[in-house]
Amino acid sequence: VLRERADNPEALIKVGIKRARKVYISSSDDGYNLMVALTINKLKKEYNLKIKIAILLNSSANMEMVRDFVDEIIDISDIVKDKIISNI
């Protein structure tokens, strides 16, 4: 859990992004999550990192916007739908 701005490359380096194998991006703002993914992709290129990026998507409408910049998309609406259905 990062308690600094995750779109700040220095903050990511400080918390050990270079050692990470996978990063989950999960703020409530899809646009900000995309900015974080772009920042991590820049660090991946700059330091030749092999990090996988997963994003928790708050709105299915933003799927196309993030698809090219992450390795995994977790659609929160699918999780909620599955939970509701399992309780019926």
Side-chain angles (χ1 to χ4, degrees):
V1 176
L2 178 61
R3 301 212 186 278
E4 296 186 45
R5 295 221 24 118
D7 59 341
N8 178 345
E10 291 82 25
L12 292 171
I13 291 169
K14 184 172 112 180
V15 298
I17 192 84
K18 291 179 182 180
R19 295 186 314 272
R21 287 183 275 158
K22 190 167 190 175
V23 175
Y24 290 87
I25 305 171
S26 62
S27 85
S28 60
D29 181 337
D30 288 339
Y32 180 71
N33 290 341
L34 177 58
M35 289 299 299
V36 174
L38 293 171
T39 301
I40 294 170
N41 276 307
K42 182 179 176 186
L43 291 172
K44 284 175 66 170
K45 186 178 280 188
E46 187 175 333
Y47 294 103
N48 195 30
L49 304 176
K50 304 296 182 212
I51 302 168
K52 298 290 183 187
I53 301 172
I55 191 169
L56 275 74
L57 197 62
N58 297 289
S59 172
S60 299
N62 295 326
M63 186 92 52
E64 290 303 315
M65 175 179 72
V66 301
R67 184 178 308 279
D68 292 336
F69 306 104
V70 298
D71 300 293
E72 180 181 3
I73 298 172
I74 303 166
D75 189 342
I76 292 175
S77 63
D78 286 341
I79 295 170
V80 172
K81 177 186 71 178
D82 292 345
K83 183 67 174 171
I84 291 169
I85 290 172
S86 71
N87 286 322
I88 295 178

